[in-house]
Amino acid sequence: MKEKAKEILFNSTKRPTSKEALEINDEDVFKIAKEIDYSLNLRTLNKIYHLHSMLMPIAENMITRLLKQTEKEEPTYYPFARDAELFYDALCGIAQAGEKNLEQRIHLLKTSNGMKSTYKADSEYFSSIGINNDNLSKNTAVFIDSGFAGSLFNYVIKEAKIDLSAQNRIKGFLVCKRGGLYTPMSFINKNSRELLKQIIYRMVDSPYLENLPDNLNEALCYFMQQTPKATGRYVQTYKKENGEWDVMPEKNRFFQKWDFNLKNKKYLHSNESCLLLPNGWNQRNSIEQTCGWVNDDVVDPFASLLLQKRTLEYFTDSNVHDRIYDFIK
C-alpha cells in the first residue's frame, strides 16, 4: 500500500482519483514525507483540518440546494479545477448512494486563467467530456466554481465553440458571486453570524487567510481557493496515446525543490513541457506559508491528498446521503 501511495503522490500531472484517495492510509503519507525529508507539519495541518471540518456542513448545505434546483433535469456537473475540486469530491461521494446514475454525470473540468494567457485550448478536450453543441442540444450542463464572476465559464463556452442556442443549456453556479451573469450558490443557516465568527477565529489561527470573509459564502470560497492542490494549474490540452483528451498542469515546483533519488525516479511523470508561466504567478509549496491573497496558489500533493480523503469520507457517509436525498425529493 505504501508503494502505491508513493506512486500516486509522485505523479506530478495527475490528481488522485476518489478510489485512490480513500484507499490510502494517512500513516503512509506521513512515512513517505519523512523519507524524502519533506516537512508536513502536523500542527499546521491540524489547523487546516479544523477549518475543513467546520466548512463541510456548509458545503453540504450548498450542494443540497444546488441538487434541489438542478437534479430534475439530470444534468452533467462540471466542477472547475482546481478551486472547485472540493465540490467535485463532494459530488463523487454523494454519487456513491447510486441515485440516478450521478457518478457518470460528474466531470472535473481542467482549465485555468493560465490556459487563457499562454496556451491554446483545443475544443476537442471540452467536447470529449460532453461540452459540445450536439450534447447540449439535448442535455443540461452545470458549471461550478468558487468565484467571482464566472470568467472561466465564459472562456470554456468560447473555446468549446458553443452556439448561442446551446448556451441556454449551460447553468453556472458560483460559491461567491461578485458580478457577472451567473448564479450564486444559496446557503441557509439560522446561526450564520455565530458560525462565521467561529470560522474567522480558526482562519486567523491558520495559514488561511489574511483577508477575512464577510459571510459564509466567502469563507468557503476563500478556503477552496487557498486549500493545498495536488498539481499546478492546468494549462495545456493534449491528446494521449490512447486517443483520450486531457490537460497538462504547469510545472510543479515541488519536484524542482527535492532531488529525488533513483528509487523514486520511476514514479515521476514529466510535465516539463508546461513551464511555470512567466507572469509572476506565485506557486507556493509549503502549507506553513501564510497566504497573502485569496487566490494564492498552494501546491502540496501530500496535504491535498489528506484533505481530499477527508472530503470524500464526509460525503460518502450514508447519513449525509440520506439528508441530501430526503431534502431534494
Side-chain angles (χ1 to χ4, degrees):
M1 182 57 74
K2 182 183 168 186
E3 288 300 303
K4 180 63 175 176
K6 190 178 292 186
E7 181 179 352
I8 292 165
L9 281 165
F10 291 170
N11 187 331
S12 65
T13 66
K14 182 176 174 290
R15 185 175 189 261
T17 65
S18 299
K19 183 180 178 182
E20 289 170 338
L22 284 168
E23 289 179 348
I24 291 174
N25 297 319
D26 288 16
E27 294 79 7
D28 287 337
V29 176
F30 281 99
K31 285 177 183 176
I32 295 165
K34 188 175 181 180
E35 278 184 10
I36 64 170
D37 196 29
Y38 176 66
S39 176
L40 187 58
N41 189 297
L42 188 57
R43 184 170 178 270
T44 303
L45 195 55
N46 278 330
K47 292 179 179 181
I48 301 172
Y49 284 164
H50 282 309
L51 267 175
H52 180 270
S53 63
M54 295 181 76
L55 291 166
M56 284 300 94
I58 297 173
E60 178 191 340
N61 195 315
M62 287 186 181
I63 289 173
T64 301
R65 282 161 176 76
L66 173 69
L67 295 176
K68 179 77 170 178
Q69 290 176 263
T70 59
E71 262 300 274
K72 287 181 181 178
E73 297 182 71
E74 297 188 25
T76 303
Y77 295 93
Y78 295 94
F80 275 45
R82 294 169 300 150
D83 291 350
E85 287 171 349
L86 184 149
F87 274 59
Y88 173 74
D89 295 330
L91 287 167
C92 287
I94 295 166
Q96 300 313 302
E99 296 276 346
K100 295 185 178 179
N101 207 30
L102 177 58
E103 190 168 17
Q104 280 69 52
R105 294 188 282 116
I106 308 165
H107 293 284
L108 183 64
L109 202 160
K110 300 175 182 178
T111 187
S112 72
N113 285 315
M115 184 184 286
K116 291 195 296 184
S117 61
T118 303
Y119 295 93
K120 175 67 177 173
D122 195 302
S123 63
E124 287 298 319
Y125 163 68
F126 302 114
S127 182
S128 71
I129 56 174
I131 304 174
N132 57 64
N133 289 308
D134 182 57
N135 189 47
L136 289 170
S137 68
K138 300 167 285 189
N139 303 300
T140 299
V142 174
F143 289 179
I144 305 168
D145 206 355
S146 57
F148 293 100
S151 60
L152 276 178
F153 295 171
N154 297 331
Y155 172 73
V156 169
I157 290 168
K158 176 186 174 185
E159 294 302 315
K161 302 174 183 177
I162 303 303
D163 295 338
L164 190 61
S165 59
Q167 290 178 29
N168 294 327
R169 301 301 297 264
I170 296 174
K171 299 180 179 179
F173 290 86
L174 298 165
V175 172
C176 180
K177 179 185 174 182
R178 294 177 186 167
L181 301 174
Y182 298 102
T183 306
M185 296 188 74
S186 62
F187 174 82
I188 299 173
N189 188 300
K190 293 180 181 178
N191 301 314
S192 295
R193 188 169 297 179
E194 182 58 35
L195 183 54
L196 180 62
K197 287 180 182 178
Q198 295 172 19
I199 291 171
I200 288 175
Y201 175 80
R202 287 291 183 189
M203 282 185 165
V204 170
D205 187 40
S206 79
Y208 315 113
L209 47 82
E210 292 186 357
N211 300 311
L212 296 177
D214 292 326
N215 53 60
L216 291 171
N217 289 69
E218 284 189 1
L220 181 57
C221 173
Y222 293 172
F223 181 82
M224 290 166 66
Q225 292 184 344
Q226 296 184 320
T227 197
K229 309 297 195 298
T231 71
R233 297 183 300 169
Y234 293 101
V235 290
Q236 184 176 356
T237 55
Y238 72 102
K239 197 171 187 179
K240 296 191 285 190
E241 290 182 359
N242 63 5
E244 294 179 358
W245 282 87
D246 205 348
V247 187
M248 185 73 74
E250 65 185 342
K251 190 174 180 180
N252 186 345
R253 281 198 178 119
F254 177 87
F255 296 100
Q256 288 179 296
K257 185 175 180 181
W258 270 267
D259 182 17
F260 289 94
N261 57 39
L262 287 175
K263 71 177 182 179
N264 289 333
K265 284 287 187 183
K266 65 179 181 179
Y267 297 117
L268 298 180
H269 298 266
S270 175
N271 57 354
E272 294 292 321
S273 64
C274 292
L275 301 176
L276 287 165
L277 301 179
N279 59 357
W281 187 258
N282 184 18
Q283 184 185 105
R284 300 169 183 266
N285 285 96
S286 171
I287 59 173
E288 296 181 53
Q289 289 180 281
T290 300
C291 292
W293 62 306
V294 295
N295 224 349
D296 255 349
D297 189 21
V298 183
V299 181
D300 187 319
F302 292 86
S304 173
L305 173 58
L306 293 168
L307 288 165
Q308 179 185 3
K309 182 180 178 183
R310 276 159 177 74
T311 301
L312 287 162
E313 287 172 341
Y314 181 93
F315 283 97
T316 52
D317 187 322
S318 59
N319 293 318
V320 176
H321 295 166
D322 291 346
R323 283 198 300 269
I324 291 173
Y325 281 106
D326 283 348
F327 184 87
I328 68 175
K329 284 178 181 176

